[in-house]
Amino acid sequence: MKFCTSLIVSFYIGLSYPFAQKIDTSANRVKTEFTIALKRIGTLKSKSTNEIKSSNWLLGCETLDRDMTDYEQYKAYIAPLGIKRLRMQAGWAKTEKVKGVYDWAWLDKIITDAAARGFEPWLEPGYGNPIYPGGGGVNLSAGIPSSEEALKAWDKWVEALVNRYKGQVKEWEVWNEPNFGDNEINKPEKVADLNIRTAEIIKHIQPTAKISGLAMGHIDLKYADIFFKTIHEKGKMNLFDNMTYHDYVYNPDSNYGKVGELRRVLDKYAPNVKLRQGENGAPAINGGGRGALGDYDWTEASQAKWDIRRMLGDLGHDIESSILGIIDMNYGVMAGPIKLLNVKGLIESDSTKRALRPKMVYYAMQNVVSVFDDHLVRIKHIEDTHNVNMKIGSDEVRYNKGTDRSIAVYAYEHKTTKKQVFTIWNNEYIPMNTNTTKNINFTILNGNFDQPVYVDILTGGIYEIPENQWTKKENKYIFKNIPVYDSPILIADKSVLKY
């Protein structure tokens, strides 16, 4: 078997931090009880950042502005994930502790290092700054700047920030989750005004910048409608490349109806402005006080399933997708609604902010990124059918999933060879901590495979589909007894895989 045995680099992450664990590059780096009656022939090989031109993914590197994580601890773990774009907060209060004096040292170190490693920071100026009366709060659910003095100081801060980093930062976001919590300051009209004034400053200095607006903490359609309408009526929608949302739900497949509703609200005012999923992730353990989705019996396995279902579900809806976050976040250092360690990280940490080891989800995400970069293009004209003998157009693809159970199915083709990849998983329920599969028959009309193989994205395992389990007749491919469960599997042409 041809297994991945090395990365471009093989070293202990952060030698100055003795507790950091080496990234496992072995074929069995993800260990589960997943077993199927197919012959394993290989394991997906991860791709580093410099091997990928572009992809759908962004990586959450949040809370550095509040010292809940330490960039030095995790920076060497980023490139082996293969993700270039990093979501970060610039931290007004951390940088301007004396009125009119900016101490850039902490942020210079991070932005300079990230750019040197080939990463692309997506930077947010917030939160507020309490040295100014009405300057807004400094944590999650904080109020935005509201006084005349604070807003003028905000303008100067944004101007200085963009001028300093415009050569290294091409994407910006305004404020995180303004609708979160119970504060009465962040009315949608006021938040829209802050988005406009901030975007105008950025665009004046950096006309080619891409700017994300809204950053909604959960999908509140009424709030979004007022926010979008305010910007539209002031003729300022052209300032924004996308509007972002953070919709934490226990079943990662259950919210696309609501995302569709949000899209329709935005279409009323700005059909050309994209939606971006700007922050999502699942915990690795359960427990209240750890942020969203705490009330469930999470393990590293169900966390990994949740994150890769979110990534591939978003990809299947043409929505850019950001995963929170690279490492566990120590929210206990600061007042706010989250009191304990937020364990949504890809890397395990503790109260000292050490990078202890990559979790299962780290390797599962490597597997997603290895396959789904800019070499693959989504096949948009794909539908389920009960008539597997129907005649369809050459630009259409149909499938029959052979079961009445709810199954997520999305399809892609290589942009040059046109060889195909299908993603399939059971999307009925919250990811489980067991890996029981159910065999289905799966038929594809207008398929394109030379050597189809089965891939388990969670473990990266690649399996042979024996000749007696698939047939081809003209444009029809019939696959028999394909194991499916609540984590994504692929039927893929072997040529599109790196292993």
Side-chain angles (χ1 to χ4, degrees):
M1 287 185 283
K2 186 178 179 181
F3 288 125
C4 164
T5 57
S6 65
L7 285 170
I8 294 175
V9 292
S10 179
F11 53 83
Y12 282 88
I13 299 301
L15 290 177
S16 59
Y17 300 97
F19 298 98
Q21 185 187 53
K22 183 180 179 181
I23 296 174
D24 189 348
T25 60
S26 70
N28 297 312
R29 57 187 176 269
V30 176
K31 296 174 176 62
T32 73
E33 77 279 11
F34 178 80
T35 56
I36 55 175
L38 297 175
K39 179 183 177 183
R40 186 163 177 167
I41 59 174
T43 302
L44 289 172
K45 184 178 181 182
S46 61
K47 295 179 181 177
S48 66
T49 300
N50 61 7
E51 294 178 89
I52 293 176
K53 182 179 179 181
S54 65
S55 70
N56 198 60
W57 323 121
L58 303 99
L59 178 63
C61 297
E62 294 91 351
T63 73
L64 291 164
D65 60 312
R66 286 151 287 163
D67 297 314
M68 297 176 186
T69 60
D70 180 357
Y71 178 79
E72 294 298 316
Q73 282 280 336
Y74 65 69
K75 64 185 182 182
Y77 286 92
I78 299 172
L81 274 174
I83 297 177
K84 291 181 180 291
R85 292 177 292 173
L86 312 179
R87 183 174 183 249
M88 297 175 166
Q89 284 103 19
W92 182 20
K94 184 173 180 178
T95 309
E96 187 185 358
K97 295 180 180 179
V98 177
K99 288 184 179 181
V101 178
Y102 302 120
D103 182 355
W104 301 103
W106 76 275
L107 191 55
D108 278 351
K109 187 176 181 181
I110 293 169
I111 299 298
T112 301
D113 182 86
R117 292 172 184 266
F119 309 146
E120 299 168 4
W122 171 31
L123 197 58
E124 186 180 285
Y127 290 103
N129 197 330
I131 66 171
Y132 294 96
V138 296
N139 58 358
L140 185 63
S141 78
I144 61 173
S146 56
S147 71
E148 183 177 352
E149 180 187 2
L151 286 168
K152 287 182 179 178
W154 169 268
D155 293 348
K156 291 178 181 178
W157 153 247
V158 173
E159 182 179 355
L161 181 70
V162 179
N163 272 318
R164 191 169 190 87
Y165 298 118
K166 62 185 177 182
Q168 298 154 308
V169 178
K170 309 301 181 186
E171 293 201 47
W172 304 86
E173 190 171 45
V174 179
W175 190 276
N176 183 57
E177 300 188 353
N179 64 318
F180 185 84
D182 58 1
N183 75 75
E184 294 296 318
I185 298 173
N186 296 353
K187 301 294 187 184
E189 299 92 341
K190 293 293 185 181
V191 175
D193 287 342
L194 184 71
N195 273 250
I196 290 169
R197 73 187 297 147
T198 305
E200 286 183 326
I201 294 167
I202 296 170
K203 284 287 191 179
H204 178 73
I205 299 167
Q206 190 181 16
T208 59
K210 291 184 178 180
I211 302 174
S212 302
L214 187 57
M216 178 173 278
H218 53 82
I219 296 180
D220 181 336
L221 296 174
K222 181 179 179 181
Y223 190 102
D225 196 314
I226 297 170
F227 177 89
F228 296 149
K229 183 180 181 181
T230 302
I231 296 175
H232 168 72
E233 289 181 344
K234 295 186 177 184
K236 300 297 183 179
M237 273 293 187
N238 62 306
L239 294 169
F240 299 93
D241 176 77
N242 63 80
M243 297 292 176
T244 61
Y245 63 92
H246 314 159
D247 196 31
Y248 288 87
V249 289
Y250 284 85
N251 179 341
D253 297 275
S254 67
N255 75 329
Y256 289 113
K258 202 164 186 180
V259 173
E261 293 181 56
L262 180 62
R263 177 70 261 177
R264 287 186 287 274
V265 173
L266 182 55
D267 282 344
K268 292 194 302 182
Y269 308 108
N272 295 324
V273 173
K274 299 187 290 290
L275 277 182
R276 172 183 287 181
Q277 186 279 101
E279 177 195 305
N280 253 196
I285 60 175
N286 67 339
R290 298 185 183 276
L293 308 184
D295 186 20
Y296 181 69
D297 186 23
W298 296 102
T299 65
E300 289 195 26
S302 52
Q303 177 198 27
K305 291 179 184 180
W306 196 103
D307 280 13
I308 61 179
R309 277 169 58 172
R310 165 59 74 231
M311 292 175 75
L312 290 174
D314 286 348
L315 184 66
H317 287 84
D318 294 324
I319 297 170
E320 289 183 317
S321 188
S322 182
I323 295 297
L324 176 93
I326 180 63
I327 196 167
D328 293 341
M329 294 161 281
N330 184 16
Y331 272 81
V333 301
M334 193 163 207
I338 303 175
K339 306 297 184 185
L340 302 174
L341 196 68
N342 190 331
V343 291
K344 295 184 180 72
L346 313 184
I347 300 167
E348 182 184 5
S349 186
D350 59 17
S351 61
T352 68
K353 297 178 284 188
R354 295 177 299 173
L356 300 178
R357 64 177 180 88
K359 301 178 190 176
M360 185 185 296
V361 65
Y362 181 94
Y363 300 112
M365 281 182 59
Q366 280 187 320
N367 296 332
V368 173
V369 176
S370 174
V371 178
F372 295 95
D373 61 11
D374 62 344
H375 289 97
L376 292 182
V377 178
R378 190 169 78 85
I379 301 173
K380 296 186 178 182
H381 301 294
I382 175 173
E383 295 179 16
D384 190 5
T385 180
H386 291 285
N387 182 1
V388 297
N389 296 309
M390 69 186 302
K391 300 295 182 182
I392 60 175
S394 60
D395 64 337
E396 300 174 290
V397 175
R398 298 287 186 272
Y399 68 90
N400 178 272
K401 55 187 171 57
T403 178
D404 289 331
R405 304 299 294 266
S406 181
I407 303 290
V409 178
Y410 305 100
Y412 307 85
E413 64 180 12
H414 193 278
K415 64 183 179 183
T416 55
T417 69
K418 306 302 180 183
K419 297 304 176 186
Q420 293 176 349
V421 177
F422 277 73
T423 64
I424 306 168
W425 67 89
N426 186 318
N427 64 356
E428 289 182 313
Y429 43 82
I430 303 170
M432 300 180 68
N433 297 316
T434 57
N435 296 320
T436 303
T437 62
K438 177 180 176 61
N439 287 350
I440 66 169
N441 296 331
F442 195 79
T443 301
I444 301 171
L445 305 183
N446 276 349
N448 189 2
F449 304 89
D450 286 338
Q451 188 175 357
V453 294
Y454 175 103
V455 182
D456 175 42
I457 287 291
L458 182 62
T459 62
I462 303 171
Y463 298 81
E464 178 185 75
I465 303 177
E467 292 183 0
N468 64 357
Q469 285 187 229
W470 72 279
T471 58
K472 176 188 176 186
K473 184 178 181 181
E474 297 178 348
N475 72 334
K476 185 194 305 183
Y477 288 76
I478 301 173
F479 298 93
K480 297 181 180 179
N481 297 320
I482 299 299
V484 173
Y485 69 131
D486 62 340
S487 185
I489 65 97
L490 312 180
I491 296 176
D493 194 80
K494 190 176 180 182
S495 66
V496 308
L497 306 176
K498 181 178 181 180
Y499 69 102

